[in-house]
Amino acid sequence: ELLSKEFDMNNKVIVELGAGTGKFSKIASSYCKKIYYVEPNIDMINKGKEYCKDCNNIIYINKSAELTGLFENSVDIVFAVQSFHWFDKQKLKQEISKILKTNGYFAIVWNDWVDDNNEFSKDYFNYISNWNTKLTGKTYQHKNADDRKNFFKNGEYKTYTFIHSKKYSIDMLVGLSKSLSYAPKENSEYYKEFIDSYLQNSNEVMQYLKENTKYTEEERQKEVEKIKQDLKKKSVEEVIEEAKSETENA
């Protein structure tokens, strides 16, 4: 709604770079004239096509953010939603300068948690950050303000912040963890360790269950065991869809 009002998106042609499975594009399609859905992973595009099947103004492009194939001066707004940290910044800047119209906008969007809000958040952020480093050799960088300052001319950009809260059940937390771009796949040697070690060793998870569910201690233990068994039978997509469904019905 903010983008629609402040940037008159109803008449705009926009791009989402690294569009993933289309969560942002689906929402944005209701507010803009046309959206180019740029994603280098064909599996992600196929999932996005299914997720956005009712949107008739989305054009899918199986290319990288640094080389979209779009014409010069062809778009009004470029979005990087949960994806800016993956791109080659110098090549990205050149591509955006090429495709963006005069007086166009580039927006970096994050749906992030406040990791210093409580011990549970700190523990979880440290856990996934360590796994990111272990699996990719990179540090978790998207909170690095220097990346943004160095990208924009004279280091100047506007920031809009919207605070919201959300309670997670243990299966929603597992679904969130498995949806991370660097999370081990089910056939990976690290998959079982990635999921089980957090469930088994994190006192914060058990404390969170204790504070946010009506289960008795015995029921909580059964729920954790049930989740572990489900993970052996369900695909990443099924877990994520169940988590998403539970969130929407909460």
Side-chain angles (χ1 to χ4, degrees), residues 1-14 27-35 57 76-77:
E1 291 178 354
L2 169 76
L3 293 169
S4 179
K5 292 176 181 177
E6 296 229 356
F7 301 100
D8 188 25
M9 275 182 56
N10 290 332
N11 299 311
K12 297 292 191 295
V13 175
I14 71 174
I27 296 172
S29 68
S30 300
Y31 294 93
C32 67
K33 180 179 179 181
K34 182 192 299 181
I35 179 166
N57 61 341
D76 299 290
I77 309 176

Side-chain angles (χ1 to χ4, degrees), residues 120 167-171 173 199 202-224:
F120 173 79
K167 288 187 176 182
Y168 277 84
S169 64
I170 190 66
D171 55 334
L173 185 66
L199 293 177
S202 174
N203 291 328
E204 284 77 12
V205 170
M206 295 309 296
Q207 184 64 30
Y208 181 83
L209 281 174
K210 190 175 294 185
E211 294 175 354
N212 292 278
T213 69
K214 297 179 181 179
Y215 297 143
T216 64
E217 187 63 34
E218 182 179 358
E219 288 172 331
R220 270 192 297 275
Q221 293 295 341
K222 288 182 179 179
E223 178 69 9
V224 171

